[in-house]
PDB file of all heavy atoms in Angstrom:
ATOM      1  N   GLY A 240      57.583-106.089 129.481  1.00  0.00           N
ATOM      2  CA  GLY A 240      58.076-106.767 130.671  1.00  0.00           C
ATOM      3  C   GLY A 240      56.982-106.955 131.710  1.00  0.00           C
ATOM      4  O   GLY A 240      56.882-108.004 132.351  1.00  0.00           O
ATOM      5  N   PHE A 241      56.139-105.935 131.873  1.00  0.00           N
ATOM      6  CA  PHE A 241      55.052-106.010 132.854  1.00  0.00           C
ATOM      7  C   PHE A 241      54.085-107.127 132.482  1.00  0.00           C
ATOM      8  O   PHE A 241      53.663-107.918 133.330  1.00  0.00           O
ATOM      9  CB  PHE A 241      54.305-104.667 132.896  1.00  0.00           C
ATOM     10  CG  PHE A 241      53.268-104.560 133.981  1.00  0.00           C
ATOM     11  CD1 PHE A 241      53.581-103.995 135.200  1.00  0.00           C
ATOM     12  CD2 PHE A 241      51.973-105.020 133.767  1.00  0.00           C
ATOM     13  CE1 PHE A 241      52.617-103.883 136.204  1.00  0.00           C
ATOM     14  CE2 PHE A 241      51.009-104.917 134.758  1.00  0.00           C
ATOM     15  CZ  PHE A 241      51.331-104.344 135.980  1.00  0.00           C
ATOM     16  N   LYS A 242      53.732-107.223 131.199  1.00  0.00           N
ATOM     17  CA  LYS A 242      52.762-108.225 130.775  1.00  0.00           C
ATOM     18  C   LYS A 242      53.358-109.633 130.820  1.00  0.00           C
ATOM     19  O   LYS A 242      52.652-110.612 131.067  1.00  0.00           O
ATOM     20  CB  LYS A 242      52.237-107.910 129.374  1.00  0.00           C
ATOM     21  CG  LYS A 242      50.975-108.694 129.026  1.00  0.00           C
ATOM     22  CD  LYS A 242      50.252-108.111 127.828  1.00  0.00           C
ATOM     23  CE  LYS A 242      51.031-108.287 126.556  1.00  0.00           C
ATOM     24  NZ  LYS A 242      50.181-107.971 125.369  1.00  0.00           N
ATOM     25  N   ASN A 243      54.671-109.737 130.577  1.00  0.00           N
ATOM     26  CA  ASN A 243      55.328-111.034 130.714  1.00  0.00           C
ATOM     27  C   ASN A 243      55.233-111.535 132.151  1.00  0.00           C
ATOM     28  O   ASN A 243      54.971-112.716 132.406  1.00  0.00           O
ATOM     29  CB  ASN A 243      56.808-110.938 130.322  1.00  0.00           C
ATOM     30  CG  ASN A 243      57.033-111.151 128.841  1.00  0.00           C
ATOM     31  OD1 ASN A 243      56.217-111.758 128.162  1.00  0.00           O
ATOM     32  ND2 ASN A 243      58.146-110.656 128.335  1.00  0.00           N
ATOM     33  N   GLU A 244      55.502-110.629 133.108  1.00  0.00           N
ATOM     34  CA  GLU A 244      55.485-110.994 134.511  1.00  0.00           C
ATOM     35  C   GLU A 244      54.066-111.079 135.063  1.00  0.00           C
ATOM     36  O   GLU A 244      53.802-111.829 135.999  1.00  0.00           O
ATOM     37  CB  GLU A 244      56.290-109.975 135.334  1.00  0.00           C
ATOM     38  CG  GLU A 244      57.777-109.920 135.011  1.00  0.00           C
ATOM     39  CD  GLU A 244      58.510-111.159 135.473  1.00  0.00           C
ATOM     40  OE1 GLU A 244      57.965-111.900 136.323  1.00  0.00           O
ATOM     41  OE2 GLU A 244      59.626-111.410 134.984  1.00  0.00           O
ATOM     42  N   CYS A 245      53.159-110.307 134.482  1.00  0.00           N
ATOM     43  CA  CYS A 245      51.808-110.204 135.028  1.00  0.00           C
ATOM     44  C   CYS A 245      50.770-110.206 133.908  1.00  0.00           C
ATOM     45  O   CYS A 245      50.226-109.156 133.569  1.00  0.00           O
ATOM     46  CB  CYS A 245      51.705-108.928 135.852  1.00  0.00           C
ATOM     47  SG  CYS A 245      50.150-108.772 136.733  1.00  0.00           S
ATOM     48  N   PRO A 246      50.491-111.357 133.301  1.00  0.00           N
ATOM     49  CA  PRO A 246      49.569-111.417 132.165  1.00  0.00           C
ATOM     50  C   PRO A 246      48.167-110.902 132.469  1.00  0.00           C
ATOM     51  O   PRO A 246      47.477-110.454 131.561  1.00  0.00           O
ATOM     52  CB  PRO A 246      49.541-112.916 131.825  1.00  0.00           C
ATOM     53  CG  PRO A 246      50.830-113.441 132.339  1.00  0.00           C
ATOM     54  CD  PRO A 246      51.103-112.664 133.599  1.00  0.00           C
ATOM     55  N   CYS A 247      47.740-110.975 133.738  1.00  0.00           N
ATOM     56  CA  CYS A 247      46.388-110.514 134.057  1.00  0.00           C
ATOM     57  C   CYS A 247      46.303-108.990 134.122  1.00  0.00           C
ATOM     58  O   CYS A 247      45.213-108.439 134.214  1.00  0.00           O
ATOM     59  CB  CYS A 247      45.895-111.128 135.364  1.00  0.00           C
ATOM     60  SG  CYS A 247      46.844-110.641 136.809  1.00  0.00           S
ATOM     61  N   GLY A 248      47.425-108.319 134.070  1.00  0.00           N
ATOM     62  CA  GLY A 248      47.410-106.863 133.969  1.00  0.00           C
ATOM     63  C   GLY A 248      47.487-106.105 135.270  1.00  0.00           C
ATOM     64  O   GLY A 248      47.635-104.880 135.269  1.00  0.00           O
ATOM     65  N   VAL A 249      47.376-106.796 136.411  1.00  0.00           N
ATOM     66  CA  VAL A 249      47.484-106.139 137.715  1.00  0.00           C
ATOM     67  C   VAL A 249      48.248-107.056 138.659  1.00  0.00           C
ATOM     68  O   VAL A 249      48.363-108.257 138.425  1.00  0.00           O
ATOM     69  CB  VAL A 249      46.103-105.811 138.328  1.00  0.00           C
ATOM     70  CG1 VAL A 249      45.362-104.779 137.512  1.00  0.00           C
ATOM     71  CG2 VAL A 249      45.270-107.078 138.473  1.00  0.00           C
ATOM     72  N   VAL A 250      48.779-106.489 139.737  1.00  0.00           N
ATOM     73  CA  VAL A 250      49.464-107.282 140.758  1.00  0.00           C
ATOM     74  C   VAL A 250      48.869-106.936 142.113  1.00  0.00           C
ATOM     75  O   VAL A 250      48.570-105.774 142.394  1.00  0.00           O
ATOM     76  CB  VAL A 250      50.982-107.006 140.750  1.00  0.00           C
ATOM     77  CG1 VAL A 250      51.300-105.562 141.035  1.00  0.00           C
ATOM     78  CG2 VAL A 250      51.700-107.895 141.757  1.00  0.00           C
ATOM     79  N   ASN A 251      48.647-107.959 142.948  1.00  0.00           N
ATOM     80  CA  ASN A 251      48.125-107.689 144.282  1.00  0.00           C
ATOM     81  C   ASN A 251      49.270-107.611 145.287  1.00  0.00           C
ATOM     82  O   ASN A 251      50.427-107.870 144.964  1.00  0.00           O
ATOM     83  CB  ASN A 251      47.087-108.743 144.698  1.00  0.00           C
ATOM     84  CG  ASN A 251      47.669-110.143 144.771  1.00  0.00           C
ATOM     85  OD1 ASN A 251      48.838-110.333 145.128  1.00  0.00           O
ATOM     86  ND2 ASN A 251      46.866-111.137 144.449  1.00  0.00           N
ATOM     87  N   GLU A 252      48.926-107.267 146.519  1.00  0.00           N
ATOM     88  CA  GLU A 252      49.957-106.997 147.523  1.00  0.00           C
ATOM     89  C   GLU A 252      50.755-108.242 147.901  1.00  0.00           C
ATOM     90  O   GLU A 252      51.977-108.175 148.069  1.00  0.00           O
ATOM     91  CB  GLU A 252      49.323-106.396 148.780  1.00  0.00           C
ATOM     92  CG  GLU A 252      50.353-106.046 149.841  1.00  0.00           C
ATOM     93  CD  GLU A 252      49.756-105.327 151.033  1.00  0.00           C
ATOM     94  OE1 GLU A 252      48.645-104.770 150.911  1.00  0.00           O
ATOM     95  OE2 GLU A 252      50.406-105.327 152.108  1.00  0.00           O
ATOM     96  N   GLU A 253      50.092-109.371 148.015  1.00  0.00           N
ATOM     97  CA  GLU A 253      50.797-110.577 148.428  1.00  0.00           C
ATOM     98  C   GLU A 253      51.853-110.993 147.409  1.00  0.00           C
ATOM     99  O   GLU A 253      52.968-111.388 147.766  1.00  0.00           O
ATOM    100  CB  GLU A 253      49.800-111.721 148.664  1.00  0.00           C
ATOM    101  CG  GLU A 253      48.953-111.551 149.905  1.00  0.00           C
ATOM    102  CD  GLU A 253      49.802-111.274 151.156  1.00  0.00           C
ATOM    103  OE1 GLU A 253      50.755-112.046 151.415  1.00  0.00           O
ATOM    104  OE2 GLU A 253      49.520-110.288 151.845  1.00  0.00           O
ATOM    105  N   ASN A 254      51.509-110.903 146.127  1.00  0.00           N
ATOM    106  CA  ASN A 254      52.480-111.237 145.092  1.00  0.00           C
ATOM    107  C   ASN A 254      53.619-110.215 145.044  1.00  0.00           C
ATOM    108  O   ASN A 254      54.769-110.554 144.780  1.00  0.00           O
ATOM    109  CB  ASN A 254      51.791-111.321 143.731  1.00  0.00           C
ATOM    110  CG  ASN A 254      50.913-112.549 143.608  1.00  0.00           C
ATOM    111  OD1 ASN A 254      51.280-113.627 144.048  1.00  0.00           O
ATOM    112  ND2 ASN A 254      49.737-112.385 143.030  1.00  0.00           N
ATOM    113  N   PHE A 255      53.270-108.970 145.286  1.00  0.00           N
ATOM    114  CA  PHE A 255      54.279-107.911 145.347  1.00  0.00           C
ATOM    115  C   PHE A 255      55.280-108.205 146.463  1.00  0.00           C
ATOM    116  O   PHE A 255      56.492-108.113 146.276  1.00  0.00           O
ATOM    117  CB  PHE A 255      53.584-106.575 145.585  1.00  0.00           C
ATOM    118  CG  PHE A 255      54.489-105.371 145.519  1.00  0.00           C
ATOM    119  CD1 PHE A 255      54.689-104.692 144.333  1.00  0.00           C
ATOM    120  CD2 PHE A 255      55.127-104.906 146.660  1.00  0.00           C
ATOM    121  CE1 PHE A 255      55.507-103.579 144.274  1.00  0.00           C
ATOM    122  CE2 PHE A 255      55.960-103.800 146.613  1.00  0.00           C
ATOM    123  CZ  PHE A 255      56.147-103.131 145.418  1.00  0.00           C
ATOM    124  N   LYS A 256      54.768-108.591 147.626  1.00  0.00           N
ATOM    125  CA  LYS A 256      55.634-108.916 148.763  1.00  0.00           C
ATOM    126  C   LYS A 256      56.522-110.120 148.462  1.00  0.00           C
ATOM    127  O   LYS A 256      57.709-110.138 148.821  1.00  0.00           O
ATOM    128  CB  LYS A 256      54.791-109.215 150.000  1.00  0.00           C
ATOM    129  CG  LYS A 256      54.134-108.005 150.642  1.00  0.00           C
ATOM    130  CD  LYS A 256      53.321-108.443 151.854  1.00  0.00           C
ATOM    131  CE  LYS A 256      52.693-107.262 152.556  1.00  0.00           C
ATOM    132  NZ  LYS A 256      51.887-107.686 153.727  1.00  0.00           N
ATOM    133  N   THR A 257      55.945-111.111 147.808  1.00  0.00           N
ATOM    134  CA  THR A 257      56.693-112.343 147.529  1.00  0.00           C
ATOM    135  C   THR A 257      57.919-112.073 146.680  1.00  0.00           C
ATOM    136  O   THR A 257      59.030-112.534 146.992  1.00  0.00           O
ATOM    137  CB  THR A 257      55.793-113.375 146.824  1.00  0.00           C
ATOM    138  OG1 THR A 257      54.707-113.719 147.691  1.00  0.00           O
ATOM    139  CG2 THR A 257      56.574-114.625 146.469  1.00  0.00           C
ATOM    140  N   ILE A 258      57.748-111.326 145.601  1.00  0.00           N
ATOM    141  CA  ILE A 258      58.894-111.083 144.723  1.00  0.00           C
ATOM    142  C   ILE A 258      59.859-110.081 145.361  1.00  0.00           C
ATOM    143  O   ILE A 258      61.071-110.188 145.203  1.00  0.00           O
ATOM    144  CB  ILE A 258      58.441-110.596 143.336  1.00  0.00           C
ATOM    145  CG1 ILE A 258      59.614-110.661 142.357  1.00  0.00           C
ATOM    146  CG2 ILE A 258      57.829-109.215 143.391  1.00  0.00           C
ATOM    147  CD1 ILE A 258      60.178-112.033 142.126  1.00  0.00           C
ATOM    148  N   TYR A 259      59.341-109.121 146.112  1.00  0.00           N
ATOM    149  CA  TYR A 259      60.216-108.134 146.745  1.00  0.00           C
ATOM    150  C   TYR A 259      61.136-108.799 147.751  1.00  0.00           C
ATOM    151  O   TYR A 259      62.285-108.390 147.932  1.00  0.00           O
ATOM    152  CB  TYR A 259      59.374-107.045 147.419  1.00  0.00           C
ATOM    153  CG  TYR A 259      60.129-105.757 147.662  1.00  0.00           C
ATOM    154  CD1 TYR A 259      60.295-104.821 146.641  1.00  0.00           C
ATOM    155  CD2 TYR A 259      60.683-105.471 148.903  1.00  0.00           C
ATOM    156  CE1 TYR A 259      60.987-103.647 146.856  1.00  0.00           C
ATOM    157  CE2 TYR A 259      61.382-104.308 149.128  1.00  0.00           C
ATOM    158  CZ  TYR A 259      61.529-103.394 148.101  1.00  0.00           C
ATOM    159  OH  TYR A 259      62.233-102.245 148.315  1.00  0.00           O
ATOM    160  N   SER A 260      60.643-109.846 148.397  1.00  0.00           N
ATOM    161  CA  SER A 260      61.439-110.544 149.407  1.00  0.00           C
ATOM    162  C   SER A 260      62.673-111.201 148.807  1.00  0.00           C
ATOM    163  O   SER A 260      63.658-111.447 149.511  1.00  0.00           O
ATOM    164  CB  SER A 260      60.585-111.597 150.116  1.00  0.00           C
ATOM    165  OG  SER A 260      60.222-112.636 149.224  1.00  0.00           O
ATOM    166  N   GLN A 261      62.635-111.484 147.516  1.00  0.00           N
ATOM    167  CA  GLN A 261      63.777-112.123 146.872  1.00  0.00           C
ATOM    168  C   GLN A 261      64.987-111.197 146.786  1.00  0.00           C
ATOM    169  O   GLN A 261      66.115-111.653 146.652  1.00  0.00           O
ATOM    170  CB  GLN A 261      63.383-112.606 145.476  1.00  0.00           C
ATOM    171  CG  GLN A 261      62.291-113.657 145.503  1.00  0.00           C
ATOM    172  CD  GLN A 261      61.850-114.077 144.117  1.00  0.00           C
ATOM    173  OE1 GLN A 261      62.618-113.981 143.157  1.00  0.00           O
ATOM    174  NE2 GLN A 261      60.616-114.543 143.997  1.00  0.00           N
ATOM    175  N   PHE A 262      64.752-109.908 146.875  1.00  0.00           N
ATOM    176  CA  PHE A 262      65.850-108.942 146.845  1.00  0.00           C
ATOM    177  C   PHE A 262      66.512-108.804 148.218  1.00  0.00           C
ATOM    178  O   PHE A 262      67.624-108.277 148.322  1.00  0.00           O
ATOM    179  CB  PHE A 262      65.345-107.568 146.385  1.00  0.00           C
ATOM    180  CG  PHE A 262      64.975-107.513 144.937  1.00  0.00           C
ATOM    181  CD1 PHE A 262      63.702-107.830 144.525  1.00  0.00           C
ATOM    182  CD2 PHE A 262      65.909-107.154 143.975  1.00  0.00           C
ATOM    183  CE1 PHE A 262      63.350-107.783 143.187  1.00  0.00           C
ATOM    184  CE2 PHE A 262      65.570-107.107 142.638  1.00  0.00           C
ATOM    185  CZ  PHE A 262      64.294-107.428 142.241  1.00  0.00           C
ATOM    186  N   PHE A 263      65.820-109.249 149.273  1.00  0.00           N
ATOM    187  CA  PHE A 263      66.348-109.105 150.631  1.00  0.00           C
ATOM    188  C   PHE A 263      66.173-110.424 151.386  1.00  0.00           C
ATOM    189  O   PHE A 263      65.441-110.498 152.388  1.00  0.00           O
ATOM    190  CB  PHE A 263      65.635-107.969 151.366  1.00  0.00           C
ATOM    191  CG  PHE A 263      65.740-106.648 150.661  1.00  0.00           C
ATOM    192  CD1 PHE A 263      64.754-106.230 149.778  1.00  0.00           C
ATOM    193  CD2 PHE A 263      66.848-105.825 150.857  1.00  0.00           C
ATOM    194  CE1 PHE A 263      64.855-105.020 149.106  1.00  0.00           C
ATOM    195  CE2 PHE A 263      66.955-104.618 150.196  1.00  0.00           C
ATOM    196  CZ  PHE A 263      65.969-104.214 149.322  1.00  0.00           C
ATOM    197  N   PRO A 264      66.840-111.483 150.929  1.00  0.00           N
ATOM    198  CA  PRO A 264      66.666-112.808 151.554  1.00  0.00           C
ATOM    199  C   PRO A 264      67.173-112.880 152.989  1.00  0.00           C
ATOM    200  O   PRO A 264      66.769-113.749 153.746  1.00  0.00           O
ATOM    201  CB  PRO A 264      67.478-113.728 150.637  1.00  0.00           C
ATOM    202  CG  PRO A 264      68.516-112.832 150.023  1.00  0.00           C
ATOM    203  CD  PRO A 264      67.832-111.518 149.843  1.00  0.00           C
ATOM    204  N   GLN A 265      68.050-111.933 153.371  1.00  0.00           N
ATOM    205  CA  GLN A 265      68.625-111.981 154.713  1.00  0.00           C
ATOM    206  C   GLN A 265      67.713-111.355 155.763  1.00  0.00           C
ATOM    207  O   GLN A 265      67.994-111.463 156.952  1.00  0.00           O
ATOM    208  CB  GLN A 265      69.978-111.253 154.726  1.00  0.00           C
ATOM    209  CG  GLN A 265      69.889-109.716 154.702  1.00  0.00           C
ATOM    210  CD  GLN A 265      69.662-109.152 153.302  1.00  0.00           C
ATOM    211  OE1 GLN A 265      69.322-109.879 152.383  1.00  0.00           O
ATOM    212  NE2 GLN A 265      69.879-107.858 153.146  1.00  0.00           N
ATOM    213  N   GLY A 266      66.635-110.716 155.323  1.00  0.00           N
ATOM    214  CA  GLY A 266      65.750-110.051 156.280  1.00  0.00           C
ATOM    215  C   GLY A 266      64.287-110.275 155.950  1.00  0.00           C
ATOM    216  O   GLY A 266      63.935-111.105 155.114  1.00  0.00           O
ATOM    217  N   ASP A 267      63.443-109.513 156.619  1.00  0.00           N
ATOM    218  CA  ASP A 267      61.995-109.590 156.407  1.00  0.00           C
ATOM    219  C   ASP A 267      61.541-108.282 155.766  1.00  0.00           C
ATOM    220  O   ASP A 267      61.457-107.252 156.425  1.00  0.00           O
ATOM    221  CB  ASP A 267      61.290-109.807 157.746  1.00  0.00           C
ATOM    222  CG  ASP A 267      59.777-109.869 157.611  1.00  0.00           C
ATOM    223  OD1 ASP A 267      59.281-109.810 156.472  1.00  0.00           O
ATOM    224  OD2 ASP A 267      59.097-109.973 158.653  1.00  0.00           O
ATOM    225  N   SER A 268      61.246-108.335 154.475  1.00  0.00           N
ATOM    226  CA  SER A 268      60.884-107.119 153.738  1.00  0.00           C
ATOM    227  C   SER A 268      59.382-106.917 153.630  1.00  0.00           C
ATOM    228  O   SER A 268      58.935-105.983 152.958  1.00  0.00           O
ATOM    229  CB  SER A 268      61.476-107.175 152.321  1.00  0.00           C
ATOM    230  OG  SER A 268      60.920-108.261 151.590  1.00  0.00           O
ATOM    231  N   SER A 269      58.598-107.761 154.266  1.00  0.00           N
ATOM    232  CA  SER A 269      57.148-107.728 154.069  1.00  0.00           C
ATOM    233  C   SER A 269      56.510-106.398 154.465  1.00  0.00           C
ATOM    234  O   SER A 269      55.633-105.891 153.753  1.00  0.00           O
ATOM    235  CB  SER A 269      56.478-108.876 154.833  1.00  0.00           C
ATOM    236  OG  SER A 269      56.744-108.780 156.223  1.00  0.00           O
ATOM    237  N   MET A 270      56.939-105.806 155.574  1.00  0.00           N
ATOM    238  CA  MET A 270      56.316-104.567 156.008  1.00  0.00           C
ATOM    239  C   MET A 270      56.700-103.394 155.114  1.00  0.00           C
ATOM    240  O   MET A 270      55.853-102.577 154.734  1.00  0.00           O
ATOM    241  CB  MET A 270      56.694-104.262 157.468  1.00  0.00           C
ATOM    242  CG  MET A 270      55.944-103.056 158.049  1.00  0.00           C
ATOM    243  SD  MET A 270      54.140-103.193 157.881  1.00  0.00           S
ATOM    244  CE  MET A 270      53.814-104.556 159.002  1.00  0.00           C
ATOM    245  N   TYR A 271      57.983-103.324 154.743  1.00  0.00           N
ATOM    246  CA  TYR A 271      58.382-102.231 153.846  1.00  0.00           C
ATOM    247  C   TYR A 271      57.704-102.391 152.488  1.00  0.00           C
ATOM    248  O   TYR A 271      57.283-101.404 151.873  1.00  0.00           O
ATOM    249  CB  TYR A 271      59.903-102.197 153.679  1.00  0.00           C
ATOM    250  CG  TYR A 271      60.366-100.991 152.889  1.00  0.00           C
ATOM    251  CD1 TYR A 271      60.454 -99.743 153.500  1.00  0.00           C
ATOM    252  CD2 TYR A 271      60.692-101.094 151.531  1.00  0.00           C
ATOM    253  CE1 TYR A 271      60.858 -98.626 152.784  1.00  0.00           C
ATOM    254  CE2 TYR A 271      61.095 -99.982 150.816  1.00  0.00           C
ATOM    255  CZ  TYR A 271      61.181 -98.750 151.442  1.00  0.00           C
ATOM    256  OH  TYR A 271      61.565 -97.635 150.714  1.00  0.00           O
TER     257      TYR A 271
END
């Protein structure tokens, strides 16, 4: 699953924030 989502093998903070925000569309999850 990790390699499907992240073929390059690592994830940076901006991409982490982007997908995390999809779980909380009603608020701003960037800082958490």
Side-chain angles (χ1 to χ4, degrees):
F241 187 94
K242 195 164 68 168
N243 272 337
E244 296 290 342
C245 187
C247 64
V249 294
V250 61
N251 62 34
E252 182 174 341
E253 289 308 309
N254 288 319
F255 186 91
K256 287 180 178 179
T257 298
I258 193 62
Y259 201 81
S260 67
Q261 297 177 26
F262 289 89
F263 303 93
Q265 76 279 14
D267 179 3
S268 63
S269 60
M270 187 54 68
Y271 186 79

